[in-house]
């Protein structure tokens, strides 16, 4: 079985986000970029499934500008076998990403696609579900546990009220939540080895997909700043303030 | 223009999240139809039919929908999609699971977790863990949106009953199967609808110590939440997590205990009316957003707080 893992390059989660003064977006020049943390969890899970002898090959796919090659290399260094880079300078919306991935699924026929539940830049939480729709595959979103059993995969999902378990026919799509695993760091020898692993370069046109955005970003602004309040010296003072000043208890 | 709004319910009650999210439709022109699914839910159907602003309620009275799977619910909406221009649901784990699947089937670019409807095609939403606020305009004819409930006031459920139409679920795929649910049991109010929340972080040290928060919560009628670090460490279940990738809350009072205030946590609670922080590190970033900060050891002051209430 092959496992397909889409990986996205995003601003590192620990970087302070700065909104551009012309309100067109956020500053990305000279900003540290990383693999989206949920995608890292997806790569890790694919590797564990392969290590357990349940998959033969892991393919990492990234869609975006030339730098996405680095993100694919990170996945290869962690343990993915080969990469596909779909080169485009456009801002690619989840629906377009899903369409390209659906085409790749047609040619690669993976048994599982494991993606992150959301990218921490756009916070959209859409791509996996959309890919499932376009390929008519079942979906196990927000996964905290995955168990493959023959032609089916059992997925434990993190839902608002607790946990839910579903059984999906394979091929299936799974999106990762935080508790699925703790991703490994790539070792130096593996980083070196990853340099020799193949990355196939494609363009959206190769798949016949028009990735022009359908949603225009009219303006991006900073959120209103919350002012720091006061420090209280004791619980007694805190309770007094909450009662008489804030009126919330 | 007609809107289809997916209404969630549990234990015979309409979800508070749905009641808040449906208020987003008041800024969209035209009729609003609700969709509710499940068998033996006459109480929920009766309540839903009285949601203010609702013109019609579609009900799938079918056991196959007692547990909602995305593959099935998407098909129900697809079956009636020709009649609608807008498709909305609350950005709950169900809404997030189902709506993108529907959007892709309709070849639409979904707009996630809107906090405002500016016009027929323009919406506001947060990106980058709430570090930026984007105004976006869609060019798609049909619109698929999820709504962040905390941005809207709950609709009332005391209007005259609207028409209820039973629809049958056709062409339902059987590629997935519901196995079971392990729901967190609690006597406390739900996180997303509570007026007061007290949350614990890594500083709580272990799950047993969350009892200190429970005792305070009991006095305040509050819900108990947590940071990601506390959930990852197994102190509390996943559904306690507040933040960018957990639940977004906006109570009247949010008390953060032993939580440093990472940006991903702030994303889930910084719209709370009053924020209290209890942390032994006076440099902790949580104090930058707190209205009232107390620099103290939580193990000393939590019992004091319980006593003082
Ligand atoms: C992709 C991604 C998504 C994330 N999503 C979320 C999310 O949704 N929600 C979330 O919360 N986080 C999220 N995080 C994690 C986030 O970055 C922080 O790591 C996390 O919020 C830290 O939790 P904490 O404040 O409990 O722990 P810490 O940062 O370790 O802080 C513990 C605090 O407790 C204080 N403390 C310790 N002992 C005591 C004591 N005895 N008395 C008083 N104070 C004490 C310390 O001073 C410290 O400030 C995410 C991270 C990533 C990368």
């Amino acid at each position: 079985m092959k496992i397909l893992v889409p990986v996205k390059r995003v601003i590192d989660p620990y970087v302070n986000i700065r909104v551009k003064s012309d309100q067109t977006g956020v500053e990305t020049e000279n900003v540290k970029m990383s693999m989206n943390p949920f995608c890292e969890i997806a790569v890790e899970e694919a590797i564990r499934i392969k290590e357990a002898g349940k998959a033969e090959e892991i393919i990492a796919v990234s869609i975006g500008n030339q730098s996405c090659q680095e993100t694919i290399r990170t996945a290869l260094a962690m343990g993915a076998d080969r990469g596909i880079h779909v080169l485009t300078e456009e801002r690619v919306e989840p629906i377009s990403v899903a369409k390209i991935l659906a085409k790749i699924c047609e040619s690669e026929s993976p048994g599982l696609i494991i993606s992150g539940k959301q990218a921490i830049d756009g916070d959209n939480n859409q791509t996996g579900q959309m890919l499932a729709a376009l390929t008519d595959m079942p979906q196990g979103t927000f996964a905290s546990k995955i168990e493959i059993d023959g032609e089916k995969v059992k997925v434990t999902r993190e839902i608002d009220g607790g946990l839910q378990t579903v059984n999906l026919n394979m091929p299936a799509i799974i999106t990762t939540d935080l508790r699925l695993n703790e991703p490994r760091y790539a070792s130096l020898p593996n980083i070196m080895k990853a340099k020799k692993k193949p990355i196939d370069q494609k363009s959206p046109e190769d798949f016949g997909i028009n990735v022009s955005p359908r949603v225009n970003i009219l303006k991006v602004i900073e959120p209103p700043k919350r002012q720091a309040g006061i420090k209280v010296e004791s619980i007694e003072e805190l309770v007094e303030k909450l009662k008489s000043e804030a009126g919330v208890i | 223009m007609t809107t289809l709004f997916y209404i969630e319910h549990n234990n015979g009650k309409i979800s508070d999240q749905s009641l808040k999210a449906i208020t987003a439709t008041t800024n969209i022109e035209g009729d609003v139809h609700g969709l509710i699914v499940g068998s033996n839910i006459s109480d929920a159907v009766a309540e839903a039919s009285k949601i203010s602003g609702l013109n019609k309620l579609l009900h799938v009275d079918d056991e196959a929908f007692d547990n909602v799977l995305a593959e099935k619910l998407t098909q129900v909406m697809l079956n009636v999609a020709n009649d609608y221009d807008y498709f909305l649901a609350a950005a709950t784990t169900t809404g997030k699971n189902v709506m993108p699947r529907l959007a892709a089937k309709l070849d639409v670019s979904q707009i996630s977790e809107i906090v405002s409807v500016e016009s027929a095609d323009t919406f506001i939403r947060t990106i980058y863990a709430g570090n930026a606020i984007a105004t976006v305009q869609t060019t798609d004819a049909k619109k698929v949106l999820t709504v962040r409930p905390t941005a809207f006031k709950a609709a009332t459920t005391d209007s005259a009953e609207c028409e209820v139409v039973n629809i049958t679920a056709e062409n339902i795929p059987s590629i997935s199967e519901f196995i079971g649910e392990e729901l967190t049991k609690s006597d406390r109010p739900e996180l997303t609808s509570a007026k007061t929340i007290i949350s614990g972080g890594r500083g709580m040290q272990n799950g047993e110590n969350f009892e200190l928060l429970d005792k305070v919560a009991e006095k305040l009628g509050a819900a108990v939440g947590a940071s990601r670090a506390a959930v990852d460490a197994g102190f509390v279940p996943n559904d306690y997590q507040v933040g960018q990738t957990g639940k977004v809350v906006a109570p009247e009072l949010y008390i953060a205990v032993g939580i440093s205030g990472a940006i991903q946590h702030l994303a889930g609670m910084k719209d709370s009316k009053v924020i209290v922080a209890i942390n032994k590190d006076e440099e902790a970033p949580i104090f930058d957003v707190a209205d009232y900060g107390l620099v103290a050891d939580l193990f000393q002051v939590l019992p004091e707080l319980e006593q003082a209430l």
Side-chain angles (χ1 to χ4, degrees):
Chain A
M1 175 176 81
K2 290 184 198 173
I3 304 179
L4 192 78
V5 185
V7 291
K8 186 175 186 184
R9 185 177 170 81
V10 298
I11 296 183
D12 185 89
Y14 300 106
V15 162
N16 267 335
I17 299 295
R18 274 172 301 135
V19 173
K20 285 190 193 163
S21 51
D22 66 0
Q23 303 192 337
T24 56
V26 310
E27 201 55 74
T28 51
E29 293 284 317
N30 298 319
V31 168
K32 184 180 177 207
M33 305 293 283
S34 296
M35 187 191 294
N36 177 42
F38 288 99
C39 302
E40 280 182 340
I41 298 173
V43 175
E44 175 65 35
E45 194 64 19
I47 297 168
R48 291 188 189 186
I49 292 170
K50 187 180 166 193
E51 285 171 347
K54 293 188 171 164
E56 283 81 49
E57 191 182 34
I58 300 165
I59 309 163
V61 185
S62 195
I63 300 164
N65 66 19
Q66 197 58 41
S67 318
C68 291
Q69 295 250 349
E70 280 172 41
T71 311
I72 296 176
R73 288 282 169 217
T74 305
L76 297 177
M78 286 173 73
D81 297 289
R82 64 183 165 96
I84 299 174
H85 175 212
V86 183
L87 178 67
T88 170
E89 297 296 328
E90 285 268 18
R91 171 172 61 83
V92 195
E93 290 170 359
I95 183 79
S96 303
V97 172
K99 284 183 178 181
I100 292 172
L101 294 174
K103 287 286 181 193
I104 295 176
C105 285
E106 262 176 38
S107 56
E108 299 284 354
S109 307
L112 275 183
I113 299 101
I114 310 181
S115 76
K117 80 164 177 179
Q118 82 191 64
I120 58 162
D121 49 4
D123 283 335
N124 283 307
N125 197 331
Q126 299 175 8
T127 304
Q129 297 88 314
M130 288 183 155
L131 177 59
L134 298 176
T135 55
D136 276 321
M137 289 185 203
Q139 65 191 53
T141 51
F142 327 144
S144 66
K145 195 170 173 198
I146 299 176
E147 294 159 274
I148 298 174
D149 185 9
E151 298 293 294
K152 302 216 179 210
V153 56
K154 195 158 102 183
V155 182
T156 305
R157 309 179 50 229
E158 294 198 355
I159 60 169
D160 287 340
L163 296 171
Q164 181 190 68
T165 307
V166 293
N167 218 2
L168 312 177
N169 293 359
M170 295 215 287
I173 295 184
I174 294 169
T175 76
T176 61
D177 216 319
L178 295 167
R179 259 65 62 179
L180 186 58
N181 61 49
E182 235 179 90
R184 69 193 66 191
Y185 290 103
S187 66
L188 197 58
N190 285 343
I191 292 172
M192 299 312 287
K193 258 197 265 168
K195 295 197 169 142
K196 297 207 185 70
K197 292 182 180 174
I199 299 180
D200 197 8
Q201 188 155 89
K202 299 275 190 196
S203 72
E205 295 74 44
D206 292 338
F207 301 104
I209 306 291
N210 174 0
V211 295
S212 311
R214 287 114 165 269
V215 177
N216 302 317
I217 298 176
L218 302 185
K219 151 172 115 173
V220 175
I221 58 167
E222 261 182 58
K225 275 247 175 328
R226 231 190 136 103
Q227 294 300 324
I230 59 161
K231 291 261 167 60
V232 293
E233 295 303 323
S234 65
I235 285 291
E236 199 184 356
E237 188 187 352
L238 175 65
V239 171
E240 209 279 312
K241 294 270 189 224
L242 291 178
K243 276 189 181 147
S244 56
E245 199 174 89
V248 286
I249 59 171
Chain B
M1 295 290 166
T2 313
T3 297
L4 184 67
F5 184 93
Y6 173 63
I7 301 170
E8 292 179 56
H9 61 90
N10 46 49
N11 301 325
K13 299 269 313 159
I14 301 303
S15 137
D16 177 61
Q17 303 283 92
S18 292
L19 289 177
K20 287 175 179 162
I22 201 169
T23 300
T25 64
T26 51
N27 292 333
I28 297 172
E29 239 177 81
D31 280 5
V32 181
H33 296 178
L35 170 67
I36 190 165
V37 302
S39 62
N40 296 315
I41 56 162
S42 50
D43 287 353
V45 169
E47 190 188 358
S49 71
K50 291 187 274 191
I51 295 175
S52 75
L54 204 61
N55 304 94
K56 189 172 167 179
L57 181 64
L58 309 182
H59 177 204
V60 180
D61 187 356
D62 188 332
E63 282 169 16
F65 289 87
D66 289 349
N67 295 295
V68 175
L69 292 178
E71 297 80 3
K72 298 183 177 175
L73 183 57
T74 302
Q75 189 59 45
V76 169
M77 291 199 249
L78 269 181
N79 292 345
V80 297
N82 278 340
D83 301 340
Y84 296 98
D85 308 285
Y86 290 83
F87 301 81
L88 276 78
T92 56
T93 45
T94 303
K96 290 174 183 173
N97 192 29
V98 173
M99 299 311 271
R101 191 171 177 109
L102 174 70
K105 285 282 184 197
L106 297 172
D107 194 12
V108 166
S109 203
Q110 170 178 297
I111 302 183
S112 298
E113 287 203 49
I114 61 164
V115 296
S116 165
V117 176
E118 297 294 286
S119 71
D121 59 6
T122 304
F123 310 93
I124 297 182
R125 60 183 302 267
T126 70
I127 52 177
Y128 292 93
N131 281 304
I133 300 177
T135 305
V136 297
Q137 179 183 43
T138 176
T139 56
D140 286 318
K142 286 192 192 288
K143 284 134 190 107
V144 179
L145 313 165
T146 60
V147 180
R148 179 171 286 181
T150 51
F152 299 90
K153 273 213 161 60
T156 55
T157 52
D158 51 11
S159 301
E161 280 179 31
C162 70
E163 179 193 3
V164 179
V165 180
N166 276 303
I167 60 171
T168 51
E170 279 160 32
N171 304 319
I172 298 304
S174 52
I175 47 179
S176 56
E177 184 192 1
F178 174 86
I179 303 284
E181 262 170 7
E182 234 179 88
L183 300 183
T184 305
K185 287 192 193 70
S186 167
D187 307 330
R188 309 252 64 83
E190 256 193 81
L191 255 185
T192 46
S193 49
K195 287 209 158 52
T196 306
I197 295 174
I198 182 162
S199 287
R202 201 194 313 265
M204 298 304 298
Q205 289 180 5
N206 59 44
E208 288 79 68
N209 288 337
F210 263 72
E211 249 176 56
L212 297 169
L213 299 179
D214 284 333
K215 286 183 184 156
V216 176
E218 183 107 8
K219 288 266 175 89
L220 290 170
V224 178
S227 69
R228 173 191 173 181
V231 177
D232 281 4
F235 301 171
V236 286
N238 60 281
D239 50 295
Y240 279 51
Q241 185 183 317
V242 171
Q244 177 191 17
T245 60
K247 287 177 179 161
V248 177
V249 299
E252 296 281 301
L253 173 61
Y254 188 92
I255 308 176
V257 185
I259 292 178
S260 61
I263 191 71
Q264 291 88 358
H265 188 78
L266 301 186
M269 46 63 82
K270 69 179 177 188
D271 289 333
S272 304
K273 190 165 155 242
V274 174
I275 297 175
V276 170
I278 299 176
N279 197 305
K280 67 177 180 190
D281 171 12
E282 63 177 326
E283 303 285 313
I286 189 76
F287 288 122
D288 299 341
V289 299
D291 300 283
Y292 302 102
L294 178 59
V295 181
D297 186 328
L298 67 90
F299 295 104
Q300 190 199 321
V301 296
L302 280 177
E304 284 177 28
L305 179 57
E306 188 208 338
Q307 286 298 313
L309 292 168

